[in-house]
Amino acid sequence: MKIGIIGAGNIGGNLTRRLTALGHDVSVANSRGPHTLTALAEETGATPVPVEEAARGAEIVIVTIPMKAVPDLPAGLLDEAADGAAVVDTGNYYPRQRDGKIVEIDDEGLTESRWTQRQLGHPVIKAFNGTYAQDLLDRPRPAGAPDRMALPVAGDDEAAKRKVRALIDELGFDTVDAGGLDDSWRQQPDTPVYGLRADTDGVTKALAEASPERKPERRG
């Protein structure tokens, strides 16, 4: 598949490494420009592009940047993506450490990915947000392996969710359907599943045990 990755930090960089190794055609962009991605491109064979071109023709677009940077993405960013493109949001809201207060999340109760979806103007699938970046390199396992990790995946677009779950399976991880975006609070920071290394049963149990209460330290 043609895959666009916006953000080349720990998650974006390691997804670039894994997805190119699997044979996908990956374009990668960051806020500093393609010239800063030369080393990653040489290592992986990915194509460094300006942010404006990252989604062009892509069947899957992965947005993996700080939440505070999402509103600054170019308007119409996803207009040239392939028909039916799935957009993955890996983001987390860290108001005190990084993002500042986002009123719609703090005061109006929007889930983090629902807010991101509104900024992008395109349905998103929440995935990889609680995954350790190094695990993407170190912990893939074949289907059926007893120690295969599972990742929660939430979103309203069922076709896009199937596409993303199939990609995660190809990466070497099981998935658990975590419901729609309004249920995605179950995988936000400070929930039992966040950072959990567990199988499908463990992830399912952790999702069920989550509380919707946002702790004071997680508020802006």
Side-chain angles (χ1 to χ4, degrees):
M1 281 191 295
K2 184 167 177 50
I3 297 174
I5 299 179
I6 300 170
N10 294 331
I11 292 287
N14 283 351
L15 283 172
T16 299
R17 293 178 176 94
R18 290 295 323 284
L19 292 169
T20 51
L22 290 168
H24 294 289
D25 177 6
V26 177
S27 295
V28 60
N30 66 5
S31 60
R32 295 178 295 142
H35 65 283
T36 66
L37 297 170
T38 302
L40 182 63
E42 289 176 350
E43 175 192 346
T44 63
T47 303
V49 296
V51 172
E52 293 83 356
E53 298 177 15
R56 186 172 294 167
E59 297 170 66
I60 294 180
V61 180
I62 300 170
V63 179
T64 180
I65 62 175
M67 288 192 70
K68 68 178 182 180
V70 170
D72 298 328
L73 289 170
L77 174 68
L78 301 167
D79 290 353
E80 294 186 49
D83 289 343
V87 178
V88 179
D89 169 35
T90 78
N92 294 301
Y93 178 42
Y94 295 113
R96 300 194 180 194
Q97 300 94 326
R98 184 189 65 197
D99 297 316
K101 179 171 180 173
I102 297 175
V103 171
E104 296 94 329
I105 295 173
D106 263 326
D107 298 344
E108 298 174 19
L110 274 190
T111 61
E112 296 168 7
S113 286
R114 179 70 71 191
W115 179 85
T116 297
Q117 176 171 287
R118 289 188 179 182
Q119 307 308 305
L120 295 175
H122 190 288
V124 304
I125 304 298
K126 189 176 189 73
F128 300 113
N129 72 291
T131 309
Y132 291 104
Q134 193 62 32
D135 286 351
L136 294 171
L137 303 181
D138 295 346
R139 298 182 68 98
R141 300 290 187 271
D147 59 344
R148 197 182 208 220
M149 281 176 50
L151 309 183
V153 181
D156 301 332
D157 184 329
E158 292 300 326
K161 189 188 291 184
R162 285 193 298 272
K163 188 179 293 187
V164 173
R165 293 181 72 182
L167 187 70
I168 294 172
D169 176 66
E170 187 182 356
L171 284 165
F173 302 91
D174 287 331
T175 58
V176 173
D177 189 334
L181 277 194
D182 291 336
D183 303 308
S184 65
W185 57 266
R186 294 182 182 276
Q187 65 194 80
Q188 291 175 174
D190 245 7
T191 59
V193 83
Y194 187 77
L196 181 69
R197 293 175 169 124
D199 61 9
T200 53
D201 289 343
V203 168
T204 300
K205 181 174 183 288
L207 289 167
E209 292 173 347
S211 166
E213 180 183 359
R214 189 180 292 273
K215 295 179 182 178
E217 59 268 27
R218 292 291 175 188
R219 298 181 63 85

